[in-house]
């Protein structure tokens, strides 16, 4: 097995990280063990921290950002080429990627070991610097010594964890450049949070024990003293905020009350840090937190600023009522930063609250570089459901609606090394299909642009709740099961586990009219008007849910309608065999067509069926001569990233990202240095509280050298971030105004406005004051939007997917046999956590030799 290859960029980033932590270790040794006087001097420490802490972290982050744009594209294209490149015999699984203890990789345990060494180093440093003096003190008791040691160890280790925990939640961190992913380091972030709570409790218990031993407990915890006691009270406030954080971070509580969790996670974190700084307002404390605080603010604001400069501040949303799927589209005036399969964004709708929600991008960037498309599953179990509230914004008429929305991202750190496997198998449940939509299209584009044969075998096994959900993701499922550019290499199995909603199939009669499903209402004469109204409304709502057949002319009689339904369904229905892995898209029986035929026969009777069968050939011939909505997929070329000029766009956005980052680093740091220049009395210019300072002087000194610069720096970072975001939005509007002026000068604007006013009417007057162009808001139903339909329906099987049986079939055919190399077969489990865990359990129970990846949610 080979070790991880270190390229120059990774070597430089690793060097920056080692310099940062190496300085912290050396500085701690000089400060607390050697107790050198010069290290406490104000300017000396500031110079050292600037040179060996802030500068390496900033340079490493800048290198990470620059590499983020180009390394992502280079590695993605390199991995994508492997699907049509012969596998090298020397290519083996990297040692760092091996899964060992509890399913975690070797590199994860190396990172855990580094964190443990930091913790042990602080313990050794505290014991070495304080224990001897306490033992030599004749007035010290055993209880006091134990209490102080516990308090020191807990306090310093809690601060050490605080200096690391923010670094682990960066969406674009230096760890990602070294091969880690966000999902890999997130468990360590959670464990560090638990460690902070543990060390903080230990710190509190230790000092309570110490104060009790010297009979000073009441003096050190009160609100009326102007000295240390009020600072200790702030420490208790910080501990209380930390306890709330810990409670809502329990997995069950976090999942059930996510909105509470995410809101309290923010505010309680702020209270904890403020309480900690006030509790121990020593200026040395901020040095351990400053670099990671800078990176955290950059990570949270720069991606928002980039999108504020690129995308319109509104989104188009459409609800598919039958499948409970929302299609959400963001667009911009120019191509955006390239995003890759598996990337995600965070979306905030101000009308629904201030929380950002992560969603995987479903669209393929090369097809439309100016937009992002999401498919969101809606849940209406409770009133607090965010997706349920968004579905209520859409209404029940299946119309396109515009909402104010903000975007944070694009983010993504997925490594596509799995494409080097011989077999790629994807178990997908429901809306998790969006995780693989762009990947499948990218592979198809690579195959179309390459003359080499396909090397990898791909299997997509997906399950959905209802049949209407098959058409909720545009034409994707229809295309991959009908388009020869996909069916020649992609093996697809589709399962539907539940019947459709009552409003989808109301009654026992249904027939096809102009690619539409119309359900007859009651036969009562007084409800005739209501019946026709429900026919029209139901048909437009179900056009996408149960469509996919060739459109034919509308017959003039009811009997003609019934005959046309059976003719159309029979003419387009393929003859399908049983389940098989040998051919794609021909392994299940289309029950939908059988259902339509059965319903039509049930309504028309045997006589109608005989009439239909006798006129089958003539009707089919007439159908071929009538224009249809069918689309020949093979005439449309699949674009690649190179076709969309992704390299030049990556360079453009990398420069914009770096310039924005520099502004947000330099300006707040300048404010911090100015505030640090304010000095208290004394030549050393630090707070020598152990000698001749009283409590009032100590507080003033602490405030001058620590609290004021720290809070001033945080406020400066926040202010600069919001100002830069405002300028980014203004620059977008100015560019749009400039383009509008050019259109007016050329005369094209007048013609386009006249045509749009006749089609949109009221919408134009409603949104005429917007500083950006209106999105195309059509008043008609959008049920067949993106309907690239070929002849026939999406084929599927009824019932739940039997994961155990599917695995047994793969193993029987030699895929992932017991004792084989797990690197040859990659398996993805995507969907709800219960489904993914079920797939993983079945794979382990069968001793399936595969490399299993979990895709339960977008981080």
């Amino acid at each position: 097995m080979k070790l991880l290859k270190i390229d120059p960029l990774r070597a430089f980033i690793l060097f920056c990280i080692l310099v940062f932590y190496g300085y912290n270790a050396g500085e701690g040794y000089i400060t607390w063990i050697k107790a050198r006087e010069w290290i406490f001097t104000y300017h000396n420490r500031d110079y050292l921290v600037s040179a060996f802490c802030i500068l390496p972290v900033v340079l490493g982050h800048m290198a990470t950002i620059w590499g983020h744009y180009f390394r992502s594209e280079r590695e993605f294209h390199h991995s994508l080429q492997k699907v049509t490149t012969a596998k090298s015999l020397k290519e083996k699984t990297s040692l760092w990627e091996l899964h060992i203890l509890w399913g975690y990789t070797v590199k994860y345990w190396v990172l855990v070991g580094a964190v443990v060494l930091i913790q042990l180093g602080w313990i050794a440093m505290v014991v070495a610097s304080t224990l001897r003096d306490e033992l030599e003190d004749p007035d010290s008791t055993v209880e006091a010594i134990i209490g102080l040691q516990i308090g020191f160890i807990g306090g310093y280790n809690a601060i050490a964890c605080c200096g690391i925990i923010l670094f682990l939640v960066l969406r674009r961190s230096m760890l990602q450049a070294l091969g880690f992913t966000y999902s890999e380091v997130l468990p360590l972030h959670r464990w560090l949070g638990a460690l902070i709570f543990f060390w903080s409790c230990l710190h509190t218990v230790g000092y309570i024990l110490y104060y009790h031993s010297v009979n000073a407990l009441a003096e050190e915890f009160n609100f009326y003293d102007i000295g240390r006691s009020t600072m200790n009270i702030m420490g208790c406030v910080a501990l209380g905020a930390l306890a709330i954080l810990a409670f809502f971070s329990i997995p069950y509580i976090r999942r059930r009350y996510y909105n509470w969790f995410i809101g309290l996670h923010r505010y309680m974190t702020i209270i904890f840090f403020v309480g900690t700084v006030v509790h121990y307002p020593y200026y040395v404390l901020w040095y351990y937190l400053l670099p990671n605080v800078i990176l955290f603010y950059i990570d949270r604001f720069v991606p928002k600023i980039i999108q504020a400069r690129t995308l319109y501040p509104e989104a188009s949303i459409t609800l598919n009522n039958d499948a409970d799927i929302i299609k959400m589209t963001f667009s911009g005036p120019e191509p955006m930063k390239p995003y890759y399969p598996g990337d995600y964004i965070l979306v905030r709708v101000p009308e629904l609250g201030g929380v950002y929600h992560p969603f995987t991008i479903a669209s393929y960037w090369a097809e439309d570089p100016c937009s992002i498309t999401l498919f969101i599953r809606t849940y209406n179990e409770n009133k607090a459901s965010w997706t349920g509230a968004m579905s209520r914004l859409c209404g029940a008429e299946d119309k396109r609606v515009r909402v104010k929305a903000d975007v944070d991202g694009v983010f993504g750190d997925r490594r596509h090394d799995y494409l080097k496997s011989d077999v790629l198998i994807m178990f997908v449940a429901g809306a998790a299909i969006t995780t693989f939509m762009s990947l499948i299209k990218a592979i198809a584009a690579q195959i179309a642009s390459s003359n080499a044969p396909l090397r990898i075998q791909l299997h997509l096994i997906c399950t959905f709740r209802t049949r209407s959900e098959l058409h909720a993701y545009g034409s994707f499922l229809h295309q991959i099961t009908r388009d020869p550019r996909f069916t020649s290499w992609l093996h697809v199995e589709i399962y539907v586990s539940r019947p459709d909603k009552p409003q989808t199939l109301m009654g026992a009669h249904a027939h096809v009219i102009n690619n539409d499903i119309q359900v007859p209402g009651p036969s009562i004469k007084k409800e005739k008007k209501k019946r026709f109204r429900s026919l029209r409304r139901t048909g437009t709502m179900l056009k996408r849910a149960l469509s996919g057949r060739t459109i034919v002319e509308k017959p003039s009689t009811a009997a003609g309608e019934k005959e046309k339904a059976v003719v159309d369904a029979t003419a387009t229905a393929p003859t399908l065999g049983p389940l098989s892995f040998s051919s794609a898209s021909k392994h299940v029986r289309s029950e939908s067509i059988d259902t339509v035929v059965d319903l039509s026969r049930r309504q028309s009777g045997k006589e109608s069926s005989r009439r239909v069968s006798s006129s089958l050939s003539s009707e089919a011939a007439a159908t071929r001569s009538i224009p249809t909505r069918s689309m020949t997929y093979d005439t449309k070329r699949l674009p690649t990233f190179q076709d969309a000029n992704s390299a030049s766009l990556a360079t453009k956005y990398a420069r914009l990202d770096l310039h924005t980052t520099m502004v947000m680093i330099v300006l707040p740091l300048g404010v911090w240095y100015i505030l640090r220049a304010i000095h208290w009395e004394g030549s050393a210019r630090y707070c020598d509280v152990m000698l001749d300072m009283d409590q009032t002087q100590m507080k003033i000194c602490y405030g001058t050298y620590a609290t004021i610069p720290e809070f001033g720096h945080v406020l400066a970072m926040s202010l600069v971030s919001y100002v830069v975001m405002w300028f980014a939005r203004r620059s977008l509007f100015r560019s749009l105004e400039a383009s509008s002026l050019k259109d007016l000068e050329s005369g094209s604007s007048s013609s386009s406005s006249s045509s749009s006013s006749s089609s949109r009417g009221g919408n134009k007057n409603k949104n005429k004051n917007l500083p950006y162009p209106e999105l195309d808001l059509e008043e008609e139903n959008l049920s067949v939007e993106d309907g690239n339909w070929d002849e026939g329906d999406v084929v599927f099987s009824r019932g739940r997917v039997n994961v155990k049986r599917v695995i047994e079939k793969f193993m029987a055919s030699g895929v992932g046999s017991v004792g084989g190399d797990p690197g040859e077969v990659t398996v993805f489990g995507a969907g709800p956590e219960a489904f993914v865990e079920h797939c993983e359990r079945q794979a382990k129970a069968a001793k399936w030799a595969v490399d299993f990846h979990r895709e339960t949610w977008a981080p």
Side-chain angles (χ1 to χ4, degrees):
M1 296 182 181
K2 61 179 182 178
L3 292 175
L4 180 66
K5 292 182 178 179
I6 302 294
D7 58 16
L9 179 65
R10 285 177 173 171
F12 177 75
I13 293 173
L14 182 61
F15 172 76
C16 293
I17 295 176
L18 292 177
V19 168
F20 172 74
Y21 284 104
Y23 167 78
N24 281 320
E27 181 267 342
Y29 176 78
I30 295 173
T31 301
W32 307 113
I33 296 180
K34 293 298 183 180
R36 303 300 185 186
E37 182 68 21
W38 61 272
I39 197 68
F40 287 93
T41 304
Y42 168 72
H43 284 305
N44 291 343
R45 187 180 289 269
D46 279 357
Y47 295 151
L48 292 173
V49 169
S50 299
F52 296 104
C53 277
I54 299 177
L55 185 61
V57 166
V58 170
L59 292 179
H61 182 76
M62 302 290 275
T64 300
I65 296 304
W66 184 259
H68 170 74
Y69 288 88
F70 300 103
R71 189 187 73 256
S72 298
E73 179 163 341
R74 183 180 68 250
E75 291 186 354
F76 173 69
H77 292 315
H78 176 71
S79 300
L80 196 60
Q81 290 173 359
K82 294 179 181 179
V83 302
T84 55
T85 305
K87 187 175 181 180
S88 174
L89 296 177
K90 299 181 180 179
E91 194 170 4
K92 296 182 179 181
T93 304
S94 173
L95 174 63
W96 301 101
E97 304 297 333
L98 285 180
H99 295 268
I100 49 175
L101 297 175
W102 296 297
Y104 294 108
T105 59
V106 172
K107 60 185 179 183
Y108 172 81
W109 289 112
V110 170
L111 186 61
V112 171
V115 174
V116 171
L117 286 177
I118 293 174
Q119 300 283 289
L120 294 177
W122 275 106
I123 294 175
M125 196 176 301
V126 169
V127 172
S129 61
T130 60
L131 183 58
R132 178 179 298 180
D133 294 337
E134 293 172 9
L135 291 175
E136 294 176 354
D137 187 359
D139 297 331
S140 297
T141 62
V142 176
E143 184 181 1
I145 294 174
I146 295 176
L148 276 180
Q149 288 297 305
I150 293 176
F152 284 150
I153 290 173
Y156 283 111
N157 275 285
I159 295 301
C161 291
C162 290
I164 303 173
I165 194 169
L166 293 179
F167 186 67
L168 297 178
V169 292
L170 303 180
R171 281 83 57 92
R172 304 184 300 173
S173 73
M174 288 179 272
L175 291 177
Q176 296 176 10
L178 299 179
F180 292 90
T181 62
Y182 186 86
S183 59
E184 286 176 334
V185 299
L186 192 59
L188 185 56
H189 166 79
R190 293 168 180 163
W191 280 110
L192 276 178
L195 271 179
I196 292 176
F197 183 65
F198 169 76
W199 290 125
S200 299
C201 292
L202 199 65
H203 171 74
T204 304
V205 171
Y207 268 96
I208 289 176
L209 186 64
Y210 169 73
Y211 290 140
H212 179 268
S213 66
V214 296
N215 297 321
L217 191 59
E219 297 178 2
E220 296 296 338
F221 288 93
N222 59 69
F223 290 99
Y224 54 83
D225 187 73
I226 62 173
R228 184 68 198 173
S229 57
T230 53
M231 296 181 183
N232 290 334
I233 293 296
M234 289 303 298
C236 295
V237 171
L239 183 62
L242 194 61
I244 297 175
L245 274 174
F247 174 76
F248 279 92
S249 297
I250 298 172
Y252 175 79
I253 303 296
R254 183 182 70 244
R255 294 166 188 163
R256 187 168 181 83
Y257 304 100
Y258 181 76
N259 288 335
W260 280 87
F261 161 76
I262 200 68
L264 290 173
H265 210 71
R266 294 175 178 176
Y267 297 118
M268 293 299 108
T269 300
I270 295 174
I271 293 174
F272 169 72
F273 275 105
V274 171
T276 301
V277 170
V278 176
H279 170 63
Y280 186 64
Y282 199 49
Y283 71 98
V284 177
L285 176 67
W286 193 240
Y287 290 134
Y288 299 119
L289 305 178
L290 178 60
N292 290 313
V293 169
I294 293 174
L295 296 184
F296 182 79
Y297 265 86
I298 293 172
D299 182 78
R300 287 310 187 262
F301 278 97
V302 171
K304 294 185 180 74
I305 294 171
I306 299 298
Q307 294 294 12
R309 173 64 181 83
T310 308
L311 296 176
Y312 297 133
E314 286 194 347
S316 169
I317 58 175
T318 307
L319 172 65
N320 184 336
N321 284 291
D322 303 321
D324 292 329
I325 298 291
I326 294 176
K327 179 181 179 182
M328 192 174 197
T329 304
F330 297 89
S331 60
E334 58 185 15
M336 63 186 64
K337 166 199 167 186
Y339 51 85
Y340 304 94
D343 287 0
Y344 65 96
I345 60 174
L346 289 91
V347 178
R348 178 175 71 95
V349 179
E351 189 173 349
L352 304 180
V355 178
Y356 281 86
H357 297 263
F359 296 102
T360 304
I361 299 174
S363 54
Y364 178 45
W365 180 84
E367 282 188 324
D368 186 4
C370 298
S371 68
I372 292 177
T373 301
L374 310 174
F375 290 100
I376 304 171
R377 159 74 66 194
T378 64
Y379 295 94
N380 292 284
E381 294 88 3
N382 53 71
K383 295 182 179 179
S385 172
W386 187 83
T387 56
M390 181 179 287
S391 67
R392 290 189 287 273
L393 288 179
C394 299
E397 297 297 331
D398 206 13
K399 299 289 184 68
R400 181 187 290 138
V401 179
R402 290 172 61 183
V403 295
K404 295 285 186 182
D406 300 321
V407 175
D408 186 10
V410 177
F411 302 111
D413 51 17
R414 175 183 291 177
R415 302 182 63 194
H416 302 276
D417 292 342
Y418 53 85
L419 293 176
K420 69 183 179 183
S421 304
D422 295 331
V423 181
L424 176 60
I425 303 170
M426 297 163 281
F427 290 96
V428 181
I433 188 68
T434 58
T435 306
F436 304 101
M437 290 172 65
S438 59
L439 174 64
I440 292 173
K441 290 185 177 181
I443 294 175
Q446 171 64 24
I447 295 172
S449 61
S450 175
N451 296 324
L454 179 67
R455 178 191 58 81
I456 191 173
Q457 299 180 28
L458 290 98
H459 300 266
L460 177 64
I461 299 123
C462 45
T463 177
F464 300 95
R465 296 191 301 176
T466 60
R467 180 183 171 235
S468 56
E469 193 175 348
L470 302 181
H471 299 283
Y473 306 99
S475 61
F476 175 75
L477 290 173
H478 190 272
Q479 184 176 14
I480 64 175
T481 55
R482 296 290 177 179
D483 189 349
R485 295 170 300 173
F486 293 89
T487 58
S488 60
W489 55 271
L490 180 62
H491 308 276
V492 183
E493 298 178 50
I494 300 176
Y495 296 86
V496 174
S497 59
R498 302 180 185 177
D500 289 282
K501 289 182 177 182
Q503 62 265 30
T504 304
L505 294 175
M506 288 184 293
H509 308 288
H511 51 276
V512 181
I513 301 176
N514 283 350
N515 200 30
D516 200 351
I517 303 299
Q518 295 193 5
V519 182
S523 58
I524 302 176
K525 187 174 181 180
K526 63 181 181 180
E527 294 185 6
K528 185 175 181 180
K529 292 184 179 180
K530 183 178 180 181
R531 178 185 64 190
F532 284 108
R533 191 160 54 245
S534 79
L535 279 175
R536 183 171 60 254
R537 181 177 179 184
T538 304
T540 54
M541 287 176 60
L542 305 181
K543 195 179 294 181
R544 170 174 22 174
L546 296 175
S547 62
R549 305 172 187 82
T550 307
I551 292 181
V552 297
E553 288 185 346
K554 182 177 180 180
S556 58
T557 62
E561 293 173 357
K562 302 168 188 174
E563 296 173 8
K564 185 65 68 177
V566 181
V567 169
D568 191 60
T570 309
T572 60
T575 303
L576 302 173
L579 180 63
S580 173
F581 292 111
S582 60
S583 61
S585 76
K586 293 184 179 182
H587 55 274
V588 291
R589 179 171 178 81
S590 180
E591 300 182 9
S592 58
I593 297 176
D594 294 341
T595 302
V596 175
V597 175
D598 292 341
L599 292 175
S600 300
R601 286 176 177 174
R602 199 177 304 155
Q603 180 181 2
S604 58
K606 296 181 179 179
E607 184 179 355
S608 176
S609 299
R610 287 196 295 268
R611 290 198 304 268
V612 172
S613 61
S614 64
S615 60
L616 187 60
S617 58
S618 60
E619 292 288 350
T623 301
R624 286 194 297 269
S625 63
I626 296 173
T628 68
R629 288 192 70 244
S630 63
M631 181 175 183
T632 54
Y633 289 108
D634 55 356
T635 60
K636 184 178 180 181
R637 182 178 179 273
L638 291 170
T640 62
F641 278 74
Q642 291 84 351
D643 296 334
N645 202 16
S646 59
S648 62
L649 288 172
T651 304
K652 170 187 173 182
Y653 283 102
R655 291 174 178 171
L656 178 62
D657 200 320
L658 291 178
H659 292 161
T660 306
T661 300
M662 285 303 301
V663 170
M664 294 182 58
I665 290 176
V666 172
L667 293 182
L669 271 181
V671 173
W672 182 71
Y673 282 120
I674 291 174
L675 294 176
R676 288 287 285 142
I678 303 173
H679 65 276
W680 179 251
E681 60 186 21
S683 58
R685 296 175 68 178
Y686 68 93
C687 303
D688 196 353
V689 298
M690 303 302 294
L691 296 180
D692 55 356
M693 278 190 177
D694 57 27
Q695 297 289 355
T696 302
Q697 291 176 327
M698 180 188 68
K699 281 195 171 184
I700 295 175
C701 186
Y702 275 155
T704 303
Y705 287 139
T707 308
I708 292 177
E710 292 163 9
F711 290 160
H713 183 231
V714 172
L715 292 176
M717 283 191 293
S718 302
L719 180 61
V720 170
S721 300
Y722 285 110
V723 171
V724 173
M725 188 178 297
W726 181 82
F727 271 107
R729 184 69 70 191
R730 289 299 305 166
S731 64
L732 173 64
F733 293 158
R734 289 176 182 175
S735 63
L736 292 175
E737 291 173 358
S739 62
S740 299
L741 290 176
K742 290 182 180 180
D743 292 340
L744 289 173
E745 292 174 358
S746 62
S748 61
S749 175
S750 59
S751 60
S752 63
S753 62
S754 60
S755 60
S756 63
S757 62
S758 61
S759 61
R760 287 194 296 245
N763 282 334
K764 183 185 178 198
N765 296 330
K766 182 179 178 180
N767 300 315
K768 63 183 179 180
N769 295 324
L770 294 176
Y772 46 88
E774 297 180 40
L775 301 176
D776 187 16
L777 295 183
E778 299 176 354
E779 289 297 333
E780 66 270 15
N781 289 286
L782 302 172
S783 299
V784 292
E785 186 181 8
D786 296 333
N788 300 328
W789 309 113
D790 200 0
E791 294 184 356
D793 260 339
V794 177
V795 291
F796 64 96
S797 293
R798 284 286 182 186
R800 298 180 182 272
V801 55
N802 192 328
V803 178
K804 180 180 179 180
R805 184 176 301 174
V806 172
I807 293 176
E808 290 175 351
K809 288 186 177 182
F810 277 116
M811 296 182 69
S813 61
V815 177
S817 301
V818 178
D821 183 8
E824 295 180 355
V825 182
T826 299
V827 176
F828 279 94
E833 189 169 357
F835 174 79
V836 176
E837 288 181 351
H838 173 68
C839 294
E840 191 172 13
R841 282 197 305 267
Q842 294 297 330
K844 291 180 179 179
K847 297 182 180 179
W848 201 15
V850 298
D851 184 15
F852 193 90
H853 295 260
R854 299 170 59 91
E855 291 287 338
T856 56
W857 59 294

